[in-house]
Amino acid sequence: MPNERLRAVMVEGGWTYAALAQEVGVDPKSVERWVNLGRTPRRGTAMRAAETLGEDVHALWPALRQARTARAISPELVALYDQRADVPVSAFVDVLTQAREHIDVLVYAAVFLHEAYPRLNELLRERAAGGCAIRIAVGDAGSDNVRARGREEKFGHGIESRCRLALMHYRPLIDVPGIGVRTHGTTLYNSLYRADDQLLVNAHVWGVNAYKAPVWHLRRSGDGGLFDTYAASFDAVWSTARPVRHEG
């Protein structure tokens, strides 16, 4: 189909195929094909031609309008859940059960795990006995950031109580070989549940309770990916967290 818009602009400006071709740096036959066959030149060539003609490039060649490019999906993304409530507790248990080298948990409270799976401590002991290094970091109930989260999520003092409850659940694991339990007062942008090369990330949204916020399941595929970013974040928090000691 001929490009009538291009033809009209060239006629109005007194441009011949040869003259425009010389200005743009192409063969006159190429310009002829642009007009008579409706061919679309390469973007750089089209930009030069449009500038020469004093016309908008997209008006001359609408096909050059860039479609919205889809974002590349990380190869490490296994699954994406709209909210944590959609993730069966078995998904958390399964990844922890499969761990052979590392288990890392970074939360403020996440007492839903013990509530829904009372054998969690037993599972962690079994993994530690099998040589798995386990690190558990729960929120410091007295920290400013925990209190701020409570206000943001309209929990009031509820989040502080849940942090204390979480620590109560994990206290029996203190001094178990291979298991470390610490409290942290960092701003919790994401709750992390790592088991070797798998990671469940509960993203946090301002003013939204964690169970309503999205979760993505990642599997590490190489250096420098999403998984490593979150793993490094855990290490940074762990380095600032305080070890929990036996009471009394």
Side-chain angles (χ1 to χ4, degrees):
M1 180 181 295
N3 188 330
E4 298 298 347
R5 178 62 179 266
L6 177 58
R7 188 195 306 277
V9 170
M10 289 182 64
V11 169
E12 183 178 352
W15 289 95
T16 64
Y17 298 151
L20 182 58
Q22 184 175 358
E23 289 291 326
V24 177
V26 298
D27 188 275
K29 290 186 178 296
S30 295
V31 178
E32 183 180 356
R33 286 192 285 268
W34 298 348
V35 175
N36 294 327
L37 300 180
R39 298 284 177 81
T40 300
R42 292 184 178 180
R43 181 170 297 277
T45 303
M47 293 291 289
R48 290 195 300 273
E51 185 176 357
T52 299
L53 296 170
E55 185 66 34
D56 179 73
V57 67
H58 297 132
L60 296 175
W61 293 286
L64 290 177
R65 291 187 183 276
Q66 288 185 324
R68 182 177 298 174
T69 55
R71 293 184 179 180
I73 298 176
S74 170
E76 297 187 326
L77 183 62
V78 176
L80 174 61
Y81 301 88
D82 289 343
Q83 53 186 13
R84 195 191 71 197
D86 295 334
V87 187
V89 172
S90 60
F92 291 91
V93 174
D94 287 346
V95 296
L96 296 176
T97 301
Q98 294 171 39
R100 295 296 179 268
E101 298 180 358
H102 303 284
I103 289 177
D104 292 332
V105 176
L106 172 62
V107 297
Y108 271 166
V111 294
F112 74 94
L113 281 177
H114 279 96
E115 291 171 349
Y117 190 70
R119 279 197 70 252
L120 181 62
N121 282 4
E122 185 178 344
L123 170 60
L124 295 175
R125 285 194 186 93
E126 291 171 356
R127 294 294 87 225
C132 196
I134 299 174
R135 299 181 293 181
I136 309 293
V138 300
D140 179 350
S143 74
D144 291 340
N145 285 320
V146 167
R147 288 194 291 267
R149 177 59 58 82
R151 292 191 299 270
E152 293 161 6
E153 296 184 352
K154 298 180 176 56
F155 256 123
H157 296 293
I159 185 65
E160 298 163 37
S161 298
R162 292 176 75 80
C163 285
R164 294 188 182 95
L165 180 58
L167 187 57
M168 183 190 74
H169 283 309
Y170 287 114
R171 274 196 179 279
L173 300 178
I174 296 173
D175 294 337
V176 172
I179 300 179
V181 180
R182 297 185 181 184
T183 58
H184 71 97
T186 62
T187 301
L188 191 65
Y189 298 106
N190 302 282
S191 293
L192 306 177
Y193 308 84
R194 177 192 178 180
D196 290 344
D197 286 344
Q198 295 193 76
L199 180 65
L200 290 164
V201 180
N202 184 189
H204 294 305
V205 181
W206 195 94
V208 176
N209 294 336
Y211 71 89
K212 291 183 179 179
V215 170
W216 39 88
H217 181 180
L218 303 176
R219 181 177 287 111
R220 188 175 187 273
S221 64
D223 294 337
L226 279 174
F227 183 99
D228 284 354
T229 297
Y230 287 114
S233 175
F234 181 95
D235 290 339
V237 173
W238 187 255
S239 69
T240 68
R242 296 185 304 173
V244 178
R245 308 299 183 189
H246 279 296
E247 294 179 328

